[in-house]
Amino acid sequence: MLPMRATKAIIHLDNLEHNIKQIKQTLAPETKICLPVKADAYGHGAIRTAITAIRAGVSYLAVASVQEGIELREAGIVAPIISLSLPILEEIDSIIDYKLEPLVIDEEFINELNRAADAQKKTVAVHLKIDTGMSRIGCKPSEAVKLATQIVRAKHLRLQGVATHFAVADSDAESDRAFTKNQLERFRDAIEAIRQAGIAIPLVHAANSGAVQLLPEARFDMVRPGLLAYGYLPIQGAATALDVKPVMELVTQVVLIKQIREIGRASC
């Protein structure tokens, strides 16, 4: 048995339940919550966090990699899981086998995923990610209709959602709020264009914790609050602050108290 350490993290799952209830109170009854549990739920323990969150009313989970999704599935988690990072082609079979929902942003991956799903005679739910200004993962808004059309025409794919991510929604600086509003406008235009093409979108999702707190119009069909769920306010002191509690508590023991003699400055 390994010796105990002086410092340890205590996880308060009751606070996670409390925080999820607080978030739900700000949402319309039909709005779903997707909880990010990537990186072992930020050190809180992905499996126990996922189980607690689902019992508290979370509809979706989000992971950073296919491997993280596999670990949840092998632990018995059956809730829908979105993989937020772009997978490589070699991970496609695992995506299908473990019923993960990947982000898609280009024609090549959509074709390869459909081809592999066809070989297994299965259907894969995917989420089209649009880059509205974060300049990370996502297609251009101008490409959204073309890619959404490709997805719905693919025999073994199902367009489950369309998403974006706000870069600075956790800032109340005037310039950052303007940037987020611009992102929201681009996203809305892309969503409207997809719908004008006759394509239904089951889940539109964009709002991270900052947008949940400050931008109600960005909540759409589902929100993805990380900071809030784990007990931290993106914007301290805001009028829209939620009563959230930290899920992780760090506890330690004092192992040394040392008195050090004052040393005056050496004369020049």
Side-chain angles (χ1 to χ4, degrees), residues 134 165-173 175-177 179-180 183 208:
M134 190 163 185
H165 189 74
F166 296 123
V168 289
D170 55 354
S171 169
D172 59 356
S175 59
D176 289 337
R177 297 189 73 170
F179 188 88
T180 302
Q183 280 194 267
N208 53 10

Side-chain angles (χ1 to χ4, degrees), residues 63-74 81 98 100:
V63 295
S65 67
V66 171
Q67 183 57 43
E68 289 181 350
I70 291 172
E71 291 171 2
L72 291 179
R73 287 286 185 247
E74 291 185 340
I81 300 173
Y98 289 92
L100 306 180

Side-chain angles (χ1 to χ4, degrees), residues 42-254:
Y42 306 99
H44 295 77
I47 294 170
R48 60 184 175 181
T49 296
I51 292 171
T52 301
I54 292 165
R55 289 174 176 169
V58 164
S59 301
Y60 261 80
L61 303 170
V63 295
S65 67
V66 171
Q67 183 57 43
E68 289 181 350
I70 291 172
E71 291 171 2
L72 291 179
R73 287 286 185 247
E74 291 185 340
I77 304 295
V78 297
I81 300 173
I82 301 174
S83 180
L84 297 174
S85 297
L86 294 183
I88 58 176
L89 297 180
E90 289 79 5
E91 293 177 311
I92 284 179
D93 286 340
S94 293
I95 289 171
I96 299 169
D97 292 341
Y98 289 92
K99 297 181 180 179
L100 306 180
E101 300 184 10
L103 299 181
V104 296
I105 67 166
D106 61 65
E107 294 183 24
E108 179 187 4
F109 187 81
I110 292 171
N111 286 333
E112 291 296 330
L113 184 60
N114 184 60
R115 188 176 297 114
D118 182 25
Q120 295 193 33
K121 304 304 178 188
K122 295 179 180 178
T123 299
V124 180
V126 302
H127 296 251
L128 177 63
K129 179 71 178 294
I130 302 174
D131 178 14
T132 56
M134 190 163 185
S135 301
R136 198 164 65 181
I137 293 173
C139 69
K140 296 177 181 178
S142 60
E143 299 172 329
V145 173
K146 177 184 69 175
L147 293 175
T149 301
Q150 182 185 359
I151 292 167
V152 297
R153 288 178 178 173
K155 184 178 178 181
H156 293 274
L157 300 184
R158 182 177 78 252
L159 181 63
Q160 181 66 10
V162 178
T164 195
H165 189 74
F166 296 123
V168 289
D170 55 354
S171 169
D172 59 356
E174 186 175 345
S175 59
D176 289 337
R177 297 189 73 170
F179 188 88
T180 302
K181 292 275 190 179
N182 184 260
Q183 280 194 267
L184 178 59
E185 184 176 346
R186 290 182 184 178
F187 187 55
R188 278 178 166 163
D189 288 346
I191 292 296
E192 180 61 25
I194 292 171
R195 287 174 170 158
Q196 286 293 325
I199 299 172
I201 309 170
L203 291 174
V204 176
H205 51 106
N208 53 10
S209 291
V212 169
Q213 186 178 351
L214 293 178
L215 206 62
E217 60 268 39
R219 292 171 184 166
F220 297 107
D221 304 307
M222 185 165 71
V223 297
R224 308 187 306 266
L227 279 175
L228 280 174
Y230 293 104
Y232 303 96
L233 290 172
I235 310 296
Q236 297 289 337
T240 51
L242 281 70
D243 174 29
V244 294
K245 303 176 182 179
V247 178
M248 181 183 290
E249 176 186 8
L250 293 178
V251 178
T252 192
Q253 297 180 40
V254 176

